[in-house]
Coordinates of all heavy atoms in Angstrom, one line a residue:
M1 N 0.9 -1.2 0.0 CA 0.0 0.0 0.0 C 0.9 1.3 0.0 O 1.9 1.3 0.8 CB -0.9 -0.1 1.2 CG -1.9 1.0 1.3 SD -3.1 0.7 2.6 CE -3.8 2.3 2.7
K2 N 0.5 2.2 -0.8 CA 1.3 3.4 -0.9 C 1.0 4.3 0.3 O -0.1 4.4 0.8 CB 1.0 4.2 -2.2 CG 1.5 3.4 -3.4 CD 1.3 4.3 -4.6 CE 1.8 3.6 -5.9 NZ 1.6 4.3 -7.1
N3 N 2.1 5.1 0.6 CA 2.0 6.0 1.7 C 1.1 7.2 1.2 O 1.5 7.8 0.2 CB 3.3 6.5 2.1 CG 3.3 7.4 3.3 OD1 2.3 8.0 3.6 ND2 4.4 7.5 4.0
A4 N 0.1 7.6 1.9 CA -0.8 8.6 1.4 C -0.1 10.0 1.3 O -0.5 10.8 0.6 CB -2.0 8.7 2.3
S5 N 0.9 10.2 2.2 CA 1.6 11.5 2.2 C 2.3 11.8 0.9 O 2.5 12.9 0.5 CB 2.6 11.6 3.3 OG 3.7 10.7 3.1
H6 N 2.7 10.7 0.1 CA 3.4 11.0 -1.2 C 2.4 11.4 -2.3 O 2.8 11.8 -3.3 CB 4.1 9.7 -1.6 CG 5.3 9.4 -0.7 ND1 6.4 10.2 -0.6 CD2 5.5 8.4 0.2 CE1 7.2 9.7 0.2 NE2 6.7 8.6 0.7
Q7 N 1.1 11.3 -2.1 CA 0.2 11.6 -3.1 C 0.1 13.1 -3.4 O -0.2 13.5 -4.5 CB -1.3 11.2 -2.7 CG -1.4 9.7 -2.7 CD -2.8 9.2 -2.3 OE1 -3.6 10.1 -1.9 NE2 -3.0 7.9 -2.3
H8 N 0.6 13.9 -2.4 CA 0.5 15.3 -2.6 C 1.9 16.0 -2.9 O 2.1 17.1 -3.0 CB -0.1 16.1 -1.4 CG -1.5 15.6 -1.2 ND1 -2.5 15.9 -2.1 CD2 -2.1 14.8 -0.3 CE1 -3.7 15.4 -1.7 NE2 -3.4 14.7 -0.6
D9 N 3.0 15.1 -2.9 CA 4.3 15.6 -3.1 C 4.4 16.1 -4.6 O 3.9 15.5 -5.5 CB 5.4 14.5 -3.0 CG 5.5 14.1 -1.5 OD1 5.1 14.8 -0.7 OD2 6.1 13.0 -1.3
P10 N 5.0 17.3 -4.8 CA 5.2 17.8 -6.1 C 6.1 16.9 -6.9 O 7.0 16.3 -6.4 CB 5.7 19.2 -5.9 CG 6.4 19.2 -4.6 CD 5.6 18.2 -3.8
P11 N 5.9 16.8 -8.2 CA 6.8 16.0 -9.0 C 8.2 16.5 -9.0 O 8.4 17.8 -8.9 CB 6.2 16.0 -10.4 CG 5.3 17.2 -10.4 CD 4.9 17.5 -9.0
A12 N 9.2 15.7 -9.1 CA 10.6 16.2 -9.2 C 10.8 17.0 -10.5 O 10.1 16.7 -11.5 CB 11.5 15.0 -9.1
E13 N 11.6 18.0 -10.4 CA 11.9 18.8 -11.6 C 13.2 18.3 -12.1 O 14.1 18.0 -11.3 CB 12.0 20.3 -11.2 CG 12.0 21.2 -12.4 CD 11.8 22.6 -12.0 OE1 11.3 23.0 -10.9 OE2 12.2 23.5 -12.8
R14 N 13.3 18.3 -13.4 CA 14.6 17.9 -14.1 C 15.1 19.1 -14.9 O 14.4 19.7 -15.6 CB 14.4 16.7 -14.9 CG 14.0 15.5 -14.1 CD 13.9 14.2 -14.9 NE 13.7 13.1 -14.0 CZ 13.8 11.9 -14.3 NH1 14.2 11.5 -15.5 NH2 13.6 11.0 -13.4
W15 N 16.4 19.2 -14.7 CA 17.1 20.3 -15.5 C 18.3 19.6 -16.3 O 18.9 18.7 -15.8 CB 17.7 21.3 -14.5 CG 16.8 22.1 -13.7 CD1 15.4 22.2 -13.8 CD2 17.1 22.9 -12.5 NE1 15.0 23.0 -12.9 CE2 16.0 23.4 -12.0 CE3 18.4 23.2 -11.9 CZ2 15.9 24.3 -10.9 CZ3 18.3 24.0 -10.8 CH2 17.1 24.5 -10.3
T16 N 18.6 20.2 -17.4 CA 19.7 19.8 -18.2 C 20.8 20.9 -18.0 O 20.5 22.1 -18.2 CB 19.4 19.6 -19.7 OG1 18.4 18.7 -19.8 CG2 20.6 19.2 -20.5
V17 N 22.1 20.5 -17.8 CA 23.2 21.4 -17.8 C 23.5 21.7 -19.3 O 24.1 20.9 -20.0 CB 24.4 20.8 -17.1 CG1 25.5 21.8 -17.0 CG2 24.0 20.4 -15.6
D18 N 23.1 22.9 -19.7 CA 23.3 23.3 -21.1 C 24.7 23.8 -21.4 O 25.2 23.7 -22.5 CB 22.3 24.4 -21.4 CG 22.2 24.8 -22.9 OD1 22.2 23.9 -23.7 OD2 22.3 26.0 -23.2
G19 N 25.3 24.4 -20.3 CA 26.7 24.9 -20.5 C 27.3 25.3 -19.2 O 26.6 25.5 -18.2
I20 N 28.6 25.4 -19.2 CA 29.3 25.9 -18.0 C 30.3 26.9 -18.5 O 31.0 26.8 -19.4 CB 30.1 24.7 -17.3 CG1 29.1 23.7 -16.8 CG2 31.0 25.3 -16.1 CD1 29.7 22.4 -16.2
E21 N 30.2 28.1 -17.8 CA 31.0 29.3 -18.2 C 31.6 29.9 -17.1 O 31.1 29.9 -15.9 CB 30.0 30.3 -18.9 CG 29.2 29.7 -20.1 CD 28.2 30.6 -20.5 OE1 27.9 31.7 -19.9 OE2 27.6 30.4 -21.6
D22 N 32.7 30.6 -17.3 CA 33.4 31.5 -16.3 C 32.7 32.8 -16.2 O 32.2 33.3 -17.2 CB 34.9 31.7 -16.7 CG 35.7 30.4 -16.4 OD1 35.4 29.7 -15.5 OD2 36.6 30.2 -17.2
S23 N 32.6 33.3 -15.0 CA 32.1 34.7 -14.8 C 32.9 35.4 -13.8 O 33.7 34.7 -13.1 CB 30.6 34.6 -14.4 OG 30.6 34.3 -13.0
P24 N 32.8 36.7 -13.7 CA 33.6 37.4 -12.6 C 33.3 36.8 -11.2 O 34.2 37.0 -10.4 CB 33.1 38.9 -12.8 CG 32.5 39.0 -14.2 CD 32.0 37.6 -14.5
D25 N 32.2 36.2 -11.0 CA 31.9 35.7 -9.6 C 32.2 34.3 -9.5 O 31.8 33.6 -8.5 CB 30.4 36.0 -9.4 CG 30.0 37.5 -9.3 OD1 30.9 38.2 -8.8 OD2 29.0 37.8 -9.7
G26 N 32.8 33.7 -10.5 CA 33.1 32.2 -10.5 C 32.3 31.5 -11.6 O 31.5 32.1 -12.3
P27 N 32.6 30.2 -11.7 CA 31.9 29.4 -12.7 C 30.4 29.3 -12.6 O 29.9 29.2 -11.5 CB 32.5 28.0 -12.6 CG 33.7 28.2 -11.8 CD 33.5 29.4 -10.9
L28 N 29.7 29.5 -13.7 CA 28.2 29.4 -13.7 C 27.8 28.2 -14.6 O 28.5 27.9 -15.6 CB 27.6 30.7 -14.4 CG 27.7 32.0 -13.6 CD1 27.1 33.1 -14.4 CD2 27.0 31.8 -12.2
A29 N 26.7 27.6 -14.2 CA 26.1 26.6 -15.1 C 24.8 27.2 -15.6 O 24.0 27.8 -14.9 CB 25.8 25.3 -14.2
R30 N 24.7 27.1 -17.0 CA 23.5 27.5 -17.7 C 22.6 26.2 -17.7 O 22.9 25.2 -18.2 CB 23.8 28.0 -19.1 CG 22.6 28.5 -19.8 CD 22.9 29.1 -21.2 NE 23.6 28.2 -22.0 CZ 24.9 28.3 -22.2 NH1 25.7 29.2 -21.7 NH2 25.5 27.4 -23.0
L31 N 21.5 26.3 -17.0 CA 20.6 25.2 -16.9 C 19.3 25.4 -17.7 O 18.8 26.5 -17.8 CB 20.2 25.0 -15.4 CG 21.4 24.9 -14.5 CD1 20.9 24.9 -13.0 CD2 22.1 23.5 -14.7
E32 N 18.8 24.3 -18.2 CA 17.5 24.4 -19.0 C 16.5 23.5 -18.4 O 16.7 22.4 -18.0 CB 17.8 23.9 -20.4 CG 16.6 24.0 -21.3 CD 16.8 23.5 -22.7 OE1 18.0 23.4 -23.2 OE2 15.8 23.3 -23.4
R33 N 15.3 24.2 -18.1 CA 14.2 23.5 -17.5 C 13.5 22.7 -18.6 O 13.8 22.8 -19.8 CB 13.2 24.5 -16.9 CG 13.7 25.1 -15.7 CD 12.5 26.0 -15.1 NE 12.9 26.4 -13.8 CZ 13.1 27.7 -13.4 NH1 13.0 28.6 -14.3 NH2 13.4 28.0 -12.2
E34 N 12.6 21.8 -18.2 CA 11.9 20.9 -19.1 C 11.0 21.7 -20.1 O 10.9 21.3 -21.2 CB 11.0 19.9 -18.4 CG 11.9 18.9 -17.7 CD 11.1 17.9 -16.8 OE1 10.2 18.4 -16.0 OE2 11.3 16.7 -16.9
D35 N 10.6 23.0 -19.7 CA 9.8 23.8 -20.6 C 10.6 24.6 -21.6 O 10.1 25.4 -22.3 CB 8.9 24.7 -19.8 CG 9.6 25.8 -19.0 OD1 10.9 25.9 -19.1 OD2 8.9 26.5 -18.2
G36 N 12.0 24.5 -21.5 CA 12.9 25.1 -22.4 C 13.5 26.5 -21.9 O 14.3 27.0 -22.5
T37 N 13.0 26.9 -20.8 CA 13.5 28.2 -20.3 C 14.9 27.9 -19.7 O 15.2 26.8 -19.2 CB 12.6 28.8 -19.2 OG1 12.4 27.8 -18.1 CG2 11.3 29.2 -19.7
T38 N 15.8 28.9 -19.7 CA 17.1 28.7 -19.2 C 17.4 29.8 -18.1 O 16.8 30.8 -18.1 CB 18.2 28.8 -20.3 OG1 18.1 30.1 -20.9 CG2 18.0 27.7 -21.3
F39 N 18.4 29.4 -17.3 CA 18.8 30.4 -16.2 C 20.2 29.9 -15.8 O 20.6 28.8 -16.1 CB 17.8 30.4 -15.0 CG 17.7 29.1 -14.3 CD1 18.4 28.8 -13.1 CD2 16.9 28.1 -14.9 CE1 18.3 27.6 -12.5 CE2 16.8 26.9 -14.2 CZ 17.5 26.6 -13.0
D40 N 20.9 30.8 -15.2 CA 22.3 30.6 -14.7 C 22.3 30.4 -13.2 O 21.5 31.0 -12.4 CB 23.2 31.7 -15.0 CG 23.4 31.9 -16.5 OD1 23.3 30.9 -17.2 OD2 23.7 33.0 -16.9
L41 N 23.1 29.4 -12.7 CA 23.3 29.1 -11.3 C 24.8 28.9 -11.0 O 25.4 28.3 -11.8 CB 22.5 27.8 -11.0 CG 22.2 27.5 -9.5 CD1 21.3 28.5 -8.9 CD2 21.6 26.1 -9.4
P42 N 25.3 29.4 -9.9 CA 26.7 29.2 -9.6 C 27.0 27.7 -9.6 O 26.2 26.9 -9.0 CB 26.8 29.8 -8.2 CG 25.7 30.9 -8.1 CD 24.6 30.3 -8.9
L43 N 28.0 27.3 -10.2 CA 28.4 25.9 -10.3 C 28.6 25.3 -8.8 O 28.3 24.1 -8.6 CB 29.7 25.8 -11.0 CG 30.1 24.4 -11.5 CD1 29.0 23.8 -12.4 CD2 31.4 24.4 -12.2
R44 N 29.0 26.1 -7.9 CA 29.2 25.6 -6.5 C 27.9 25.1 -5.9 O 27.9 24.4 -4.9 CB 29.8 26.7 -5.6 CG 29.0 27.9 -5.4 CD 29.7 29.0 -4.5 NE 28.9 30.1 -4.4 CZ 28.9 31.1 -5.3 NH1 29.8 31.1 -6.3 NH2 28.2 32.2 -5.1
N45 N 26.7 25.5 -6.4 CA 25.5 25.1 -5.9 C 24.9 23.7 -6.5 O 23.9 23.3 -6.1 CB 24.4 26.1 -6.2 CG 24.6 27.4 -5.4 OD1 25.5 27.5 -4.6 ND2 23.8 28.4 -5.7
L46 N 25.8 23.2 -7.4 CA 25.4 21.9 -8.0 C 26.3 20.8 -7.5 O 27.4 21.0 -7.0 CB 25.5 22.1 -9.5 CG 24.5 23.1 -10.1 CD1 24.7 23.3 -11.6 CD2 23.1 22.6 -9.8
P47 N 25.9 19.5 -7.8 CA 26.8 18.4 -7.3 C 28.2 18.5 -7.9 O 28.4 18.9 -9.1 CB 26.1 17.2 -7.8 CG 24.7 17.6 -8.1 CD 24.7 19.1 -8.4
A48 N 29.2 18.0 -7.2 CA 30.6 18.0 -7.6 C 30.6 17.1 -8.9 O 29.9 16.1 -9.0 CB 31.4 17.4 -6.5
G49 N 31.4 17.5 -9.8 CA 31.6 16.7 -11.0 C 30.6 16.9 -12.1 O 30.6 16.2 -13.2
V50 N 29.7 17.8 -11.9 CA 28.6 18.1 -12.9 C 29.3 18.6 -14.2 O 30.3 19.3 -14.2 CB 27.6 19.1 -12.4 CG1 28.1 20.5 -12.4 CG2 26.3 19.0 -13.3
R51 N 28.8 18.0 -15.4 CA 29.3 18.4 -16.7 C 28.2 18.9 -17.6 O 27.0 18.6 -17.4 CB 30.0 17.2 -17.3 CG 31.1 16.6 -16.5 CD 31.8 15.4 -17.2 NE 30.8 14.5 -17.7 CZ 31.0 13.6 -18.7 NH1 32.1 13.7 -19.4 NH2 30.0 12.8 -19.1
E52 N 28.6 19.5 -18.7 CA 27.6 19.9 -19.8 C 26.9 18.6 -20.2 O 27.5 17.6 -20.4 CB 28.3 20.6 -20.9 CG 28.8 21.9 -20.6 CD 29.4 22.7 -21.7 OE1 29.3 22.2 -22.9 OE2 30.1 23.7 -21.5
G53 N 25.6 18.7 -20.4 CA 24.8 17.6 -20.9 C 24.2 16.7 -19.8 O 23.4 15.9 -20.1
D54 N 24.7 16.9 -18.5 CA 24.1 16.1 -17.4 C 22.7 16.5 -17.2 O 22.3 17.6 -17.3 CB 24.9 16.4 -16.2 CG 26.3 15.6 -16.1 OD1 26.5 14.8 -17.0 OD2 27.0 15.9 -15.2
L55 N 22.0 15.5 -16.8 CA 20.5 15.6 -16.4 C 20.5 15.6 -14.9 O 21.1 14.7 -14.3 CB 19.7 14.5 -17.0 CG 18.2 14.6 -16.8 CD1 17.6 15.8 -17.5 CD2 17.5 13.3 -17.4
L56 N 19.9 16.6 -14.3 CA 19.8 16.8 -12.9 C 18.4 16.6 -12.4 O 17.4 17.0 -13.0 CB 20.3 18.2 -12.4 CG 21.7 18.6 -12.9 CD1 21.9 20.0 -12.4 CD2 22.7 17.7 -12.3
D57 N 18.3 16.0 -11.2 CA 17.0 15.8 -10.6 C 17.0 16.7 -9.3 O 17.9 16.7 -8.6 CB 16.8 14.3 -10.1 CG 15.6 14.0 -9.4 OD1 14.5 14.3 -9.9 OD2 15.7 13.5 -8.3
L58 N 16.0 17.5 -9.2 CA 15.8 18.4 -8.1 C 14.7 17.9 -7.1 O 13.6 17.5 -7.6 CB 15.5 19.8 -8.5 CG 16.7 20.6 -8.8 CD1 17.3 20.1 -10.2 CD2 16.4 22.0 -8.8
Q59 N 15.1 17.8 -5.9 CA 14.1 17.4 -4.9 C 14.0 18.5 -3.8 O 15.1 19.0 -3.3 CB 14.6 16.1 -4.2 CG 14.6 14.9 -5.1 CD 13.2 14.5 -5.5 OE1 12.3 14.5 -4.7 NE2 13.0 14.0 -6.8
D60 N 12.8 18.8 -3.4 CA 12.6 19.7 -2.3 C 12.6 18.9 -1.0 O 11.8 17.9 -0.9 CB 11.3 20.5 -2.5 CG 11.2 21.7 -1.6 OD1 12.2 22.1 -1.0 OD2 10.2 22.4 -1.6
G61 N 13.5 19.2 0.0 CA 13.5 18.5 1.2 C 13.6 19.4 2.4 O 13.4 20.6 2.3
P62 N 13.7 18.8 3.6 CA 13.7 19.6 4.8 C 14.8 20.7 4.9 O 14.7 21.6 5.6 CB 13.8 18.6 5.9 CG 14.3 17.4 5.3 CD 13.9 17.4 3.8
D63 N 15.9 20.4 4.2 CA 17.1 21.3 4.2 C 17.1 22.2 2.9 O 18.1 22.8 2.6 CB 18.4 20.5 4.3 CG 18.5 19.7 5.6 OD1 18.0 20.2 6.6 OD2 19.0 18.6 5.6
G64 N 16.0 22.2 2.2 CA 16.0 23.0 1.0 C 16.0 22.1 -0.2 O 15.9 20.9 -0.1
V65 N 16.3 22.7 -1.4 CA 16.3 22.0 -2.6 C 17.7 21.4 -2.8 O 18.7 22.0 -2.6 CB 16.0 23.0 -3.8 CG1 16.1 22.2 -5.1 CG2 14.6 23.5 -3.6
S66 N 17.7 20.1 -3.2 CA 19.0 19.5 -3.5 C 18.9 18.9 -4.9 O 17.9 18.6 -5.4 CB 19.2 18.3 -2.5 OG 18.2 17.3 -2.6
A67 N 20.1 18.9 -5.5 CA 20.2 18.4 -6.9 C 21.1 17.1 -6.9 O 22.1 17.1 -6.2 CB 20.7 19.4 -7.8
R68 N 20.8 16.2 -7.8 CA 21.7 15.1 -8.0 C 21.7 14.8 -9.5 O 20.8 15.0 -10.2 CB 21.2 13.8 -7.2 CG 19.9 13.2 -7.7 CD 19.5 12.0 -6.8 NE 18.2 11.5 -7.2 CZ 18.1 10.5 -8.1 NH1 19.2 9.9 -8.5 NH2 16.9 10.1 -8.5
I69 N 22.9 14.3 -9.9 CA 23.0 13.9 -11.3 C 22.4 12.6 -11.5 O 22.6 11.6 -10.8 CB 24.6 13.8 -11.6 CG1 25.3 15.2 -11.3 CG2 24.8 13.4 -13.1 CD1 26.8 15.1 -11.4
L70 N 21.6 12.5 -12.6 CA 20.9 11.3 -13.0 C 21.9 10.5 -14.0 O 21.8 10.8 -15.2 CB 19.5 11.6 -13.6 CG 18.6 12.2 -12.7 CD1 17.3 12.7 -13.4 CD2 18.2 11.3 -11.6
D71 N 22.8 9.8 -13.4 CA 23.8 9.2 -14.2 C 23.3 8.3 -15.4 O 23.7 8.4 -16.5 CB 24.8 8.3 -13.4 CG 25.6 9.2 -12.4 OD1 26.1 10.2 -12.9 OD2 25.8 8.8 -11.3
R72 N 22.4 7.4 -15.0 CA 21.8 6.5 -16.0 C 21.1 7.2 -17.1 O 21.3 7.0 -18.4 CB 20.9 5.4 -15.4 CG 20.3 4.4 -16.4 CD 19.4 3.4 -15.7 NE 18.4 3.9 -14.9 CZ 17.2 4.4 -15.4 NH1 17.0 4.3 -16.6 NH2 16.3 4.8 -14.5
E73 N 20.2 8.1 -16.8 CA 19.4 8.9 -17.8 C 20.4 9.8 -18.6 O 20.2 9.9 -19.8 CB 18.4 9.8 -17.0 CG 17.3 9.0 -16.5 CD 17.6 8.6 -15.0 OE1 18.7 8.5 -14.6 OE2 16.6 8.2 -14.3
T74 N 21.5 10.3 -18.0 CA 22.4 11.1 -18.8 C 23.1 10.2 -19.8 O 23.2 10.6 -21.0 CB 23.4 11.8 -17.8 OG1 22.7 12.7 -17.0 CG2 24.5 12.5 -18.6
R75 N 23.5 9.1 -19.4 CA 24.2 8.1 -20.3 C 23.3 7.7 -21.4 O 23.7 7.7 -22.6 CB 24.7 6.9 -19.6 CG 26.0 7.1 -18.8 CD 26.6 5.7 -18.4 NE 25.6 4.9 -17.6 CZ 25.4 4.9 -16.4 NH1 26.0 5.8 -15.6 NH2 24.5 4.1 -15.8
E76 N 22.0 7.4 -21.1 CA 21.1 7.0 -22.1 C 20.9 8.2 -23.1 O 20.8 8.0 -24.3 CB 19.7 6.6 -21.5 CG 19.9 5.3 -20.8 CD 18.6 5.0 -20.0 OE1 17.7 5.8 -19.9 OE2 18.6 3.8 -19.4
R77 N 20.7 9.4 -22.6 CA 20.5 10.6 -23.5 C 21.7 10.8 -24.4 O 21.6 11.0 -25.6 CB 20.2 11.8 -22.6 CG 20.0 13.1 -23.5 CD 19.8 14.3 -22.7 NE 18.4 14.3 -22.2 CZ 17.9 15.2 -21.4 NH1 18.7 16.3 -21.1 NH2 16.7 15.2 -21.0
R78 N 22.9 10.7 -23.8 CA 24.1 10.9 -24.6 C 24.2 9.8 -25.7 O 24.6 10.1 -26.8 CB 25.4 10.8 -23.8 CG 25.5 12.2 -23.0 CD 26.9 12.2 -22.3 NE 27.1 13.6 -21.7 CZ 27.3 13.8 -20.4 NH1 27.4 12.8 -19.6 NH2 27.4 15.0 -20.0
A79 N 23.9 8.6 -25.4 CA 23.9 7.5 -26.3 C 22.9 7.7 -27.5 O 23.2 7.5 -28.6 CB 23.7 6.1 -25.7
A80 N 21.7 8.2 -27.1 CA 20.7 8.4 -28.1 C 21.1 9.6 -29.0 O 20.9 9.5 -30.3 CB 19.4 8.8 -27.5
M81 N 21.7 10.6 -28.5 CA 22.2 11.7 -29.3 C 23.3 11.3 -30.2 O 23.4 11.7 -31.4 CB 22.6 12.9 -28.4 CG 21.4 13.5 -27.6 SD 20.0 14.0 -28.6 CE 20.6 15.4 -29.5
Q82 N 24.2 10.5 -29.7 CA 25.3 10.0 -30.6 C 24.8 9.1 -31.7 O 25.3 9.2 -32.8 CB 26.3 9.2 -29.7 CG 27.6 8.8 -30.5 CD 28.4 10.0 -30.9 OE1 28.7 10.9 -30.2 NE2 28.7 10.1 -32.2
A83 N 23.8 8.3 -31.4 CA 23.2 7.5 -32.4 C 22.6 8.3 -33.5 O 22.7 8.0 -34.7 CB 22.2 6.5 -31.8
R84 N 21.9 9.4 -33.1 CA 21.3 10.4 -34.1 C 22.4 11.0 -35.0 O 22.3 11.1 -36.2 CB 20.5 11.5 -33.4 CG 19.1 11.1 -33.0 CD 18.4 12.3 -32.5 NE 17.4 12.0 -31.7 CZ 16.7 12.8 -30.9 NH1 17.0 14.1 -31.0 NH2 15.7 12.4 -30.1
L85 N 23.5 11.4 -34.3 CA 24.6 12.0 -35.1 C 25.2 11.0 -36.0 O 25.5 11.4 -37.2 CB 25.6 12.6 -34.1 CG 26.8 13.3 -34.6 CD1 26.3 14.5 -35.4 CD2 27.7 13.7 -33.5
D86 N 25.4 9.8 -35.5 CA 26.0 8.8 -36.4 C 25.1 8.5 -37.6 O 25.6 8.4 -38.7 CB 26.3 7.5 -35.6 CG 27.3 7.6 -34.6 OD1 28.1 8.6 -34.6 OD2 27.4 6.8 -33.7
A87 N 23.8 8.5 -37.4 CA 22.9 8.2 -38.5 C 22.9 9.3 -39.5 O 22.9 9.1 -40.7 CB 21.4 8.0 -38.0
L88 N 23.0 10.6 -39.1 CA 23.1 11.7 -39.9 C 24.4 11.7 -40.7 O 24.4 11.9 -41.9 CB 23.0 13.0 -39.2 CG 21.6 13.4 -38.6 CD1 21.7 14.6 -37.7 CD2 20.7 13.7 -39.7
N89 N 25.5 11.4 -40.1 CA 26.8 11.3 -40.7 C 26.8 10.2 -41.7 O 27.4 10.3 -42.8 CB 27.9 11.1 -39.7 CG 28.2 12.5 -38.9 OD1 27.9 13.5 -39.4 ND2 28.7 12.3 -37.8
S90 N 26.2 9.0 -41.4 CA 26.3 8.0 -42.4 C 25.4 8.2 -43.6 O 25.7 7.8 -44.7 CB 25.9 6.6 -41.7 OG 24.5 6.6 -41.4
A91 N 24.3 9.0 -43.4 CA 23.5 9.4 -44.5 C 24.2 10.3 -45.4 O 24.1 10.3 -46.7 CB 22.2 10.1 -44.1
D92 N 25.0 11.2 -44.8 CA 25.8 12.1 -45.7 C 26.9 11.4 -46.4 O 27.3 11.7 -47.5 CB 26.5 13.2 -44.8 CG 25.5 14.2 -44.3 OD1 24.5 14.3 -44.9 OD2 25.8 15.0 -43.3
D93 N 27.5 10.3 -45.8 CA 28.5 9.5 -46.4 C 28.0 8.9 -47.7 O 28.8 8.6 -48.7 CB 29.1 8.5 -45.5 CG 29.9 9.1 -44.4 OD1 30.2 10.3 -44.5 OD2 30.1 8.4 -43.4
G94 N 26.7 8.6 -47.8 CA 26.2 7.9 -48.9 C 25.9 8.8 -50.1 O 25.7 8.3 -51.2
A95 N 26.0 10.1 -49.9 CA 25.7 11.0 -51.0 C 27.0 11.2 -51.9 O 28.1 11.3 -51.4 CB 25.3 12.4 -50.4
A96 N 26.8 11.2 -53.1 CA 27.9 11.3 -54.1 C 28.3 12.8 -54.1 O 27.4 13.7 -54.1 CB 27.5 10.8 -55.5
D97 N 29.6 13.0 -54.1 CA 30.1 14.4 -54.1 C 30.8 14.5 -55.4 O 32.0 14.1 -55.6 CB 31.0 14.6 -52.9 CG 31.5 16.1 -52.9 OD1 31.0 16.9 -53.7 OD2 32.4 16.4 -52.1
D98 N 30.1 15.1 -56.4 CA 30.7 15.3 -57.7 C 31.2 16.7 -57.9 O 31.6 17.1 -59.0 CB 29.7 14.9 -58.8 CG 28.4 15.7 -58.8 OD1 28.3 16.7 -57.9 OD2 27.5 15.4 -59.5
G99 N 31.2 17.5 -56.8 CA 31.7 18.8 -56.9 C 30.6 19.8 -57.4 O 30.9 21.0 -57.4
E100 N 29.5 19.4 -57.9 CA 28.4 20.3 -58.3 C 27.7 20.8 -57.1 O 27.5 20.2 -56.1 CB 27.5 19.5 -59.2 CG 28.0 19.1 -60.5 CD 28.4 20.2 -61.5 OE1 27.6 21.2 -61.5 OE2 29.5 20.2 -62.1
I101 N 27.3 22.1 -57.3 CA 26.5 22.8 -56.2 C 25.1 23.0 -56.8 O 24.9 23.6 -57.9 CB 27.1 24.1 -55.8 CG1 28.5 23.8 -55.2 CG2 26.2 24.8 -54.8 CD1 29.2 25.1 -54.8
T102 N 24.0 22.5 -56.1 CA 22.7 22.7 -56.6 C 22.1 23.8 -55.7 O 22.1 23.7 -54.5 CB 21.9 21.4 -56.4 OG1 22.6 20.4 -57.1 CG2 20.5 21.6 -57.0
V103 N 21.5 24.8 -56.3 CA 20.8 25.9 -55.6 C 19.4 25.8 -55.8 O 18.8 25.5 -56.8 CB 21.4 27.3 -56.2 CG1 20.8 28.4 -55.4 CG2 22.9 27.3 -56.1

């Protein structure tokens, strides 16, 4: 039987680390929400070892919001993107390059 208190918990939010940049105040992570909006957050506020492309899970807890890297989901997403890139590249390899440009 499920615990009734979990029925009202808000769903976890997931963010993607879109980029990591230097700033005058230290490194910043550019994060993208599931709805496509982006914002910057100091890198020190995120889990150690976070990299561009990582998928983060945010949980609201008694000590505030905490983020953790979703390792499996990040690996799956990277593998899917690499497969897409490989498919696009192999499609380009099959095209004959006779030097002609079609406009």
